[in-house]
Amino acid sequence: HDMGGSAGVLGGFMAAVKLRTPRKIRLLLCLAENAIGPGAVRNDDIITQYSGKTVEINNSDAEGRIVLSDAVAHATKHYDDCDLVVDMATLTGAQLISTGKMHAGILANTEELERIAVKAGLASGDLTYPLLYAPELLKKEFNSKVADMKNSVKDRSNAQCSCAGHF
């Protein structure tokens, strides 16, 4: 289950290629292995992301969002013709608590994108439901005294899945 986002994006990309979509599309797969060893990231480590922001690791099991945010930074920096970034992530337990087992969560910065995703899900059977989009309210959950941000929320009872998506 913990690679569902990458699997979904790959499947969608393959379908778009087979359908010969007239739009230019790119695929960046964000893959991470959560492994134990001397080179593993540990809680309290501070890493510098592709964007230049520093991140205090307070949850070494939230590794996927680190590589996802690097890919989003890469795409928005290097592809001038990019007018839409789709970031699919598993968000594991937090997503299941928010939308259950039958609906994916959609976190979009416009209501139009949200409606399109919900409508497409109803048509395809891959149901989705909107998550709270409120970065101005949730950003403080990532506050860190030693880095630009933490990689996981302080308060798990404050829209945890939306927070993870905002990372």
Side-chain angles (χ1 to χ4, degrees), residues 130-144:
L131 299 172
L132 172 66
Y133 182 81
E136 68 282 0
L137 300 176
L138 302 174
K139 189 175 182 179
K140 68 180 185 281
E141 291 297 330
F142 296 100
N143 286 348
S144 169

Side-chain angles (χ1 to χ4, degrees), residues 146-157:
V146 294
D148 292 318
M149 67 186 91
K150 292 184 180 184
N151 78 315
S152 191
V153 297
K154 293 179 196 173
D155 182 358
R156 292 183 177 261
S157 66

Side-chain angles (χ1 to χ4, degrees), residues 83-85 106-118 130-135 166:
D83 59 353
L84 175 67
V85 174
I106 175 74
L107 186 66
N109 62 349
T110 70
E111 287 183 40
E112 179 186 7
L113 284 174
E114 208 173 75
R115 280 194 298 274
I116 290 169
V118 170
L131 299 172
L132 172 66
Y133 182 81
H166 282 70

